[in-house]
Amino acid sequence: MWDAVWLNAHLATMAPESGGDDGYHAIRDGAVGVKDGRIAWVGRRSELSGPPEDLARAAFDCGGRWITPGLIDCHTHIVHGGDRANEFALRLKGASYEEIARAGGGILSTVTATRAADARSLLQSASRRLEPLRREGVTTIEIKSGYGLDLDTEVRMLQVATRLGEETGIRVSRSFLGAHALPPEYKGDADGYLDLVCRQVMPQMASEGLADAVDAFGEKIAFSPEQVSRVFGAARELGLPVRLHADQLSDQGGGGLAAAYDALSADHLEYTTERSVEAMAEAGTVAVLLPGAFYFLGEVKRPPIDLFRRHAVQMAIATDCNPGSAPVTSLLLMLNMACTLFRLTPEEALTGVTRNAAAALGLEEECGRLAPGLSADFALWDIAVPAELSYRIGFNPCAGVVRAGQAV
Ligand code: NIG
Ligand code: FE
């Protein structure tokens, strides 16, 4: 006996094993059975083995709406202090993101604000930003540290990320991003700072179970490939998987570097070359595209989408929600931008916030598809066809969100 069954819905299962001739692997007039918070059955309503009341304790009529897997925002910096509206104004007057960073603004100004914020205010401001994502059907979110750059604040950020998940019921995957920028007290001493990151902060994160992965920012204004390698080597010793902010502003061979450490994902990738794409394909590293950052920074060089397709690299899409390069709190808008700016198809875009986003977090056996055995995370949509999720701008057709079988 199931706990509940959802009926009278079309299912965009996003699960190749469901068959279907489109990228949504759709089942028209389907049903989803749920037991103990997990999906017990997915299929056509006509194939149910009996009347719903014999199969489940509760039956929900979805009124012909669509169900998709709960959406997954696989790259965010949603926990942070302050804002950078002043830098937005400076950039509009002609200053570049890199110039602002080199002048001590950028990430470091958010570091100052985050260090000054206590856990309560960090939780409060992050909750406000999470709410619109939740209302858009997001049931899993990745959250990075990286605005503390000292032991206490980095720990506080990931504690707040953990609390956010506990309080909202949304699944949170946490990444330790100690190598995001060089903090002012280590100016001119990157090696000294990386000693702190690799010998003290990362081991403590690992022993307290505060990080699910380790991230780094590989860029001229951040850390060199050698420095990133050092961070990734330390992560490997602690058994933590890695991901990388790669080739966002220049080609640093970041995609290839990430792949060399079997990274779960390489993110941004505007300047990534075919060599790196081949290495990512070989390693199974997911390409996380961040069209909001591309848009907000007024970038013109697009990530090499055709190369990802040709080499069968999975593409995911995320908000990058952060105060500097992407003050974005709509994943649906990112679907639209992935299509309009990067020329993804609506099928690729939805796959990018479901199945492929799960892979980017190492959660492909947990969420991201409507398939038996996975967590019962799904969203209900008032739409006629799934492409509407990518098509509309500023309209939220989400009619309900279920996480682990419970409405959230
Ligand atoms: O993903 N690229 C580095 N990190 C963030 C930006 C952080 C910031 O500007 O505060 C990003 O774009
Ligand atoms: Fe980022």
Side-chain angles (χ1 to χ4, degrees):
M1 190 87 175
W2 301 328
D3 299 325
V5 61
W6 276 262
L7 296 161
N8 192 17
H10 306 303
L11 314 177
T13 68
M14 312 315 286
E17 60 270 33
S18 294
D21 50 9
D22 63 7
Y24 303 116
H25 303 287
I27 298 175
R28 294 241 164 208
D29 197 6
V32 183
V34 170
K35 188 173 169 56
D36 298 331
R38 306 198 80 85
I39 298 174
W41 192 89
V42 177
R44 276 180 221 290
R45 176 157 59 163
S46 59
E47 287 166 8
L48 283 169
S49 63
E53 54 277 18
D54 291 355
L55 295 171
R57 271 180 276 280
F60 300 109
D61 185 334
C62 300
R65 294 186 177 90
W66 279 84
I67 295 179
T68 67
L71 304 190
I72 299 169
D73 191 351
C74 66
H75 180 143
T76 87
H77 310 249
I78 204 167
V79 172
H80 60 259
D83 68 81
R84 305 234 290 275
N86 59 331
E87 290 181 10
F88 176 52
L90 286 176
R91 282 199 299 106
L92 292 172
K93 285 191 187 136
S96 76
Y97 182 72
E98 279 164 296
E99 281 160 8
I100 292 170
R102 287 188 199 284
I107 292 171
L108 290 186
S109 67
T110 301
V111 169
T112 306
T114 305
R115 285 179 177 179
D118 62 14
R120 212 173 127 244
S121 77
L122 287 176
L123 185 65
Q124 228 167 35
S125 65
S127 304
R128 285 180 58 209
R129 291 186 281 269
L130 181 60
E131 185 52 20
L133 290 168
R134 188 198 62 74
R135 275 191 262 121
E136 284 187 349
V138 170
T139 51
T140 298
I141 184 172
E142 186 262 9
I143 301 178
K144 304 174 194 300
S145 69
Y147 290 124
L149 312 183
D150 62 23
L151 177 66
D152 286 358
T153 318
E154 288 289 306
V155 165
R156 187 159 75 252
M157 287 185 75
L158 291 188
Q159 284 171 338
V160 166
T162 309
R163 273 281 295 284
L164 202 57
E166 289 162 359
E167 291 193 357
T168 58
I170 287 180
R171 180 188 293 99
V172 171
S173 176
R174 302 148 308 170
S175 301
F176 169 56
L177 177 53
H180 196 195
L182 198 57
E185 62 276 18
Y186 280 92
K187 198 165 183 207
D189 182 19
D191 289 334
Y193 178 60
L194 291 178
D195 282 344
L196 174 76
V197 165
C198 297
R199 294 191 187 152
Q200 200 186 343
V201 188
M202 200 191 301
Q204 181 157 338
M205 292 290 187
S207 73
E208 292 186 16
L210 276 172
D212 303 296
V214 168
D215 196 346
F217 185 16
E219 193 54 69
K220 282 186 232 157
I221 54 167
F223 295 95
S224 69
E226 294 68 34
Q227 291 167 333
V228 170
S229 293
R230 190 175 160 203
V231 173
F232 283 1
R236 184 180 270 173
E237 273 176 35
L238 292 166
L240 287 168
V242 299
R243 64 181 75 258
L244 183 65
H245 283 74
D247 309 327
Q248 178 188 10
L249 307 167
S250 60
D251 174 30
Q252 298 285 307
L257 175 59
Y261 284 86
D262 294 317
L264 289 170
S265 70
D267 305 39
H268 289 286
L269 302 170
E270 276 78 350
Y271 287 83
T272 297
T273 59
E274 183 155 18
R275 223 173 119 179
S276 280
V277 175
E278 283 167 356
M280 288 171 64
E282 179 86 5
T285 298
V286 177
V288 176
L289 308 175
L290 304 167
F294 174 90
Y295 165 80
F296 193 68
L297 294 183
E299 298 291 336
V300 287
K301 185 152 168 51
R302 297 176 188 173
I305 305 301
D306 284 337
L307 291 178
F308 295 137
R309 286 186 183 126
R310 197 176 318 144
H311 294 282
V313 170
Q314 296 179 83
M315 292 182 282
I317 298 161
T319 59
D320 197 10
C321 177
N322 77 68
S325 66
V328 174
T329 53
S330 170
L331 194 55
L332 292 180
L333 180 60
M334 296 306 99
L335 294 185
N336 179 272
M337 285 190 180
C339 295
T340 54
L341 300 176
F342 294 166
R343 298 283 166 217
L344 265 65
T345 65
E347 284 99 329
E348 287 173 327
L350 192 60
T351 307
V353 294
T354 54
R355 187 173 79 237
N356 289 356
L361 299 178
L363 293 172
E364 56 271 67
E365 295 310 321
E366 188 59 25
C367 55
R369 286 170 291 147
L370 300 179
L374 270 64
S375 181
D377 300 357
F378 43 86
L380 199 63
W381 305 97
D382 248 321
I383 51 176
V385 289
E388 259 189 80
L389 297 176
S390 302
Y391 152 75
R392 294 195 187 278
I393 298 174
F395 182 73
N396 180 6
C398 185
V401 186
V402 172
R403 163 78 188 108
Q406 305 292 322
V408 291

